[in-house]
Amino acid sequence: MAFLFRNKQKNHAELVQSTKKLTIQLSEDSKPNPKVEEELARDLAQMKIRLQGTPDAEVNQEMVFQLLSFIIQEDLLYSLANNIHRLPFESRKDAQVVFSTAFRYKPVGASDPQVLHHVIQFRPQIIISLCRGYDRRESAMPCGGVLREALKYDSIAALLLYDEPVADGKTRDLGDVNPDEPSSGNGVFWTFFEWIDKGAFEVSADAFNTFRDILTKHKALVAQYLQTNFDLFFTKYNTILVQSESYVTKRQSIKLLGEILLDRANYNVMTQYVDSGEHLKIIMKLLRDDRKMINYEGFHVFKVFVANPNKSVAVQRILISNREKLLRFLPNFLEDRTDDEQFMDEKSFLIRQIEQLPPVPVPPPNAA
Amino acid sequence: MAEAYTVLEELGSGSFGTVYKAIEKATGETVAIKLIDLENSSDELSDIQAEIGLLSTCKSPYVTEYKTSFVKGVKLWIVMEFLGGGSALDLMKPGPFSEAHVAVVCKQLLLGLEYLHSTGKIHRDIKAANVLLTDSGKVKLADFGVAAQLNDYKSQRHTFVGTPYWMAPEVIQEAGYDFKADVWSLGITAVEMVKGEPPNAQIHAMKALFVIPKNPPPRLEGDNYSRDFKDFIAQCLIKDPDRRASAKELLEHRFIKRAGKTEAMRELIERKQMFDAQQETTTHLKYYEETMVDLSPRTEDDGWIFDTIKQASIAPARQNMQAPSRRKMSRISSSDGGPAPMMQRMDMNAAPLGSVTDSPIPERRRPSSRKSSEATVVHEDPSTMPTVRRVSNVPKQPLGVDLTFGNSPSTVRHFKRVSSGERRTALSANNPPGANPFHPNPHAKTFRPSPPDSANPLDDPNDENSPPAPVYPPAPVTKDALYGRRAYGKVLDSVFQEAYANSASPHQREALGGVHQAWAQLDLVDPQGEFMLMKAMIDRLQSDSKLASALGISVSPAPTPKHTTKNSESLSGTTVHGTSTTRIRSSTTTTSTYSKTSGEHTSSPREPSFQSPVSTPSRTKSPSPLKGPKFILAQSNPHLKSHRRRQSGVVGGEKVYDRALDEKKLPGHVEPGMEQQGLLADILYGQWMQGLRSRWPLA
């Protein structure tokens, strides 16, 4: 028990310094070094306990504050974020706790998460590095957990959305961002498409959850962003996600698409989306997919096209030329979903709408 | 990924999917692979992900090891460590454990719980069936299907989850609980192992849910058990979670301290092997086989026309379907039109090698209530008590069809694991699969209405011109039929279940089950007749003043459909709803209201504590509940026919083009007697337009 005793004696500064030193050492060693790993694991476990307490012992807020100050001072989070995948198994979770507690930390009475604030202002690279955790299976889950914790704040979402690669390796200051300027498509946000599409199941699923959080929890921000980057976003979304080879990715992204479109905040995005005949084609193919949950999720996007009172000519043309087919197809479409009342209602509504289509496309009254 | 494994025989199956034994080709290691069909899984994708997320952050010698997972086609493969010793429940088949063995298992479980709890996880479903052993006797916790991850040590959970007999009182009461809930379940599991079944096993699971919080905690009594053991149980089973010992503290208990090594468990594994050998149950192994389905070529008609036709030349649809468009289409839809992608869709579940009929299925279903299957990795083998799991859109089971009794699973099939949000769904999912060809229903014909019916003054005036169609697949949708369906789905079904749950003796149960089943079939075959039957019953009952007052149905001029006569307090503990899916689907308030139809059972205990705070039973007291738009509800009753269709594996939307019936489904077609449907559609349409206006204010 000698080592435990020694560790208990490490003060906050020593603990943080030691952790940082070991983390960097771990990242530099080409081959695994069990001794370093072991000691780092002890340090991180200790740090976790000091930040989180144990079931039996509550933490002292004063001590948490001190420890976090040292963590910031030493810029420990950055080293950790870059090296989570190198940590031993349990230490990854400990590191996750360190991050989460730090990001959640608010001084008594304050509404501002102090540490997170600092990170956004001075060390946004930490957030970007956490996203890069999706590059590896080992780090995906802990990083994802931390990211979703941080994504409770709009500024983190903004940071991810407006990230652009800069030559000197720095990240952009959020103050400089012009939201009307289209994205280059090379920032970290766009890499999510690859993580979702290419990753192992857990990575992909976790990345998707984070992706969904970015897109659904920051409505005003995202609405603006999607309008500016409409073509880039939906081209990628349609080709990489909606038409993904992976069943899970495909199904989840169609569902998310429906959620995005039907969100009031995204009204303009939605109208623009449902004007496109190309989009309609993609969605109509989903209705014919041989997997019924794909059909079902596709339906919830399709209905937006049909229910739109100002259908574009392109959309009308497709619907009209398929009118007979649709009227034959829809009544039997997923007809075993009898317990889904809303679905049945919506289906009959769509049928009625399609019946009432004019014989030839009529330009919408306020066509742009 | 899938190619990296050689999949061998099936180990077990349940609502979650099927578990196979497999060999990892690269290492030669034996693994267990759980295959979940994501298309048909009743769980949300996110729940499955959560389970995997939780598992993948566990690494402990006391927890089954998760290796990897991947998606192939529509199936999720979860690769786990293979545990050859079977579950503790399996090992109990030859007989209960000795106290010494229980001590060994408890010690290992406590070590596992200590690990889980220290990383902020609650297992929430500790029971013998979820305790697996390696060949060498090592004990591991399995099945994290309902486990939870807490953010910090102080947070609590409220979700109603677990398996009834093993659930801690604070979980049942939804009062907020934490790690200590697992300790209670562990105590119950210890009793289970030494006695062969958990306390209260003789009463029905539903009733156990009332009994556990109400009664004093179970204790071990008698000279057969050591004082230490009794004390250990007493420490685990303290109703107040704050006074209950933690896993860590229990590791210091004398009973655990003197527990032997895991090698001792070998004895039980060998005992089980001997037992199996003596039983000579030569089971037919079911092997994994990939099957290709859906190779039928698609019809020409299949596919959309995405031709860009000039506006002027918009031609009747017939022409569009012809050659030029098809040429174009092949270019457009190459991604999903051809047969190639269909080839990729393989059904891994279908057609095991052995013929299905003499496969071990009947074996597993045999009515020995607590005996489990041959399967070794059974988490939720159908014959073990199914855990209350999240939503079950799973095949619906009528009460008492495969009638075993007591705590046997069949009676509580609907008792899948449920989170508090979805218990209502689970309950309402009890609608019968209905058609059981072996139980013809004598009433079906007797009470068939003969409209226009002067003999039945209570007949709905709207109904006068509805000639009941003589053929019943599909049942004609008349208003009465809708009422009938509604009455059954919303009221009678649950009444039957309640009555069933409350009756103790197997004979009563059997009788009730029979009635229920018969009624279920009536509902399936002839909902209209069902309604008439109920009406007639009410009528007669009302006319007998004594009965009427006893039942609380006053004689009133207005016809009072039975299901609205009186709504009892409703066992809404089982009908809780909470979070619904994010999608904007209206959450139907499917409140299961239990009427007092089955008078003799109404005195069953009703615990107010069981009532969920969120449940909002909409008790329709109005004499004609079917006025207004809610009337549509009846349509939503799930019934077997659709289920059959789903299970037949035919892809929806492709099959019925040629059916003569088809036309009737087309909009605009008014069937005789269905005129009120037009009204319905109008209401519906109006609602829709309103919804849309708020969405598209321009319109």
Side-chain angles (χ1 to χ4, degrees), chain A residues 90 93 264 292 341-342, chain B residues 57 115 584-586 588 694:
Chain A
E90 292 294 334
K93 287 186 281 176
R264 267 177 162 281
K292 58 184 190 301
E341 207 186 316
Q342 182 169 356
Chain B
T57 53
Y115 172 79
I584 40 125
R585 283 162 208 147
S586 71
T588 26
S694 64

Side-chain angles (χ1 to χ4, degrees), chain B residues 242-268:
Chain B
D242 293 333
R243 296 200 302 119
R244 198 180 303 150
S246 71
K248 201 171 182 173
E249 286 158 7
L250 284 171
L251 279 169
E252 301 301 316
H253 194 278
R254 273 167 52 101
F255 178 68
I256 297 301
K257 280 284 190 189
R258 61 180 178 82
K261 293 208 171 88
T262 53
E263 283 74 26
M265 298 307 291
R266 284 282 324 150
E267 297 165 28
L268 293 180

Side-chain angles (χ1 to χ4, degrees), chain A residues 287-343:
Chain A
L287 300 181
R288 291 263 199 215
D289 196 285
D290 51 6
R291 294 161 293 191
K292 58 184 190 301
M293 287 309 293
I294 301 285
N295 302 150
Y296 182 67
E297 301 298 354
F299 174 84
H300 288 285
V301 180
F302 178 67
K303 71 184 183 190
V304 188
F305 285 94
V306 180
N308 176 10
N310 300 318
K311 298 178 191 61
S312 72
V313 172
V315 165
Q316 286 187 55
R317 198 172 286 149
I318 292 173
L319 290 177
I320 290 169
S321 48
N322 286 289
R323 185 204 316 252
E324 304 304 318
K325 280 168 178 265
L326 281 166
L327 290 180
R328 235 172 315 139
F329 176 81
L330 282 176
N332 302 315
F333 177 67
L334 297 180
E335 58 186 338
D336 50 357
R337 287 194 86 92
T338 43
D339 46 355
D340 189 341
E341 207 186 316
Q342 182 169 356
F343 172 74

Side-chain angles (χ1 to χ4, degrees), chain B residues 650-697:
Chain B
V650 191
V651 180
E654 272 184 43
K655 40 198 167 176
V656 249
Y657 281 146
D658 303 328
R659 273 210 223 136
L661 243 173
D662 220 30
E663 278 199 359
K664 296 194 181 145
K665 302 207 162 172
L666 285 178
H669 175 90
V670 181
E671 228 174 298
M674 280 186 56
E675 289 83 345
Q676 77 279 7
Q677 286 253 304
L679 212 98
L680 171 80
D682 285 342
I683 294 167
L684 236 166
Y685 181 67
Q687 281 179 335
W688 256 87
M689 287 311 286
Q690 268 177 7
L692 284 171
R693 269 191 210 112
S694 64
R695 202 163 285 147
W696 282 281

Side-chain angles (χ1 to χ4, degrees), chain A residues 22 32-42:
Chain A
L22 292 167
N33 184 340
K35 243 185 106 184
V36 172
E37 283 184 19
E38 214 172 285
E39 198 167 348
L40 183 55
R42 271 203 304 271

Side-chain angles (χ1 to χ4, degrees), chain B residues 456-459 532-566 621-624:
Chain B
N456 199 340
L458 298 176
D459 229 356
M532 294 304 175
L533 170 65
M534 286 188 292
K535 222 179 227 179
M537 279 159 73
I538 292 275
D539 247 16
R540 304 276 165 85
L541 286 171
Q542 272 181 340
S543 57
D544 183 321
S545 58
K546 267 190 188 164
L547 277 174
S549 64
L551 285 169
I553 32 176
S554 56
V555 187
S556 69
T560 315
K562 187 175 203 159
H563 56 283
T564 55
T565 45
K566 180 121 183 188
K621 279 259 175 181
S622 81
S624 95

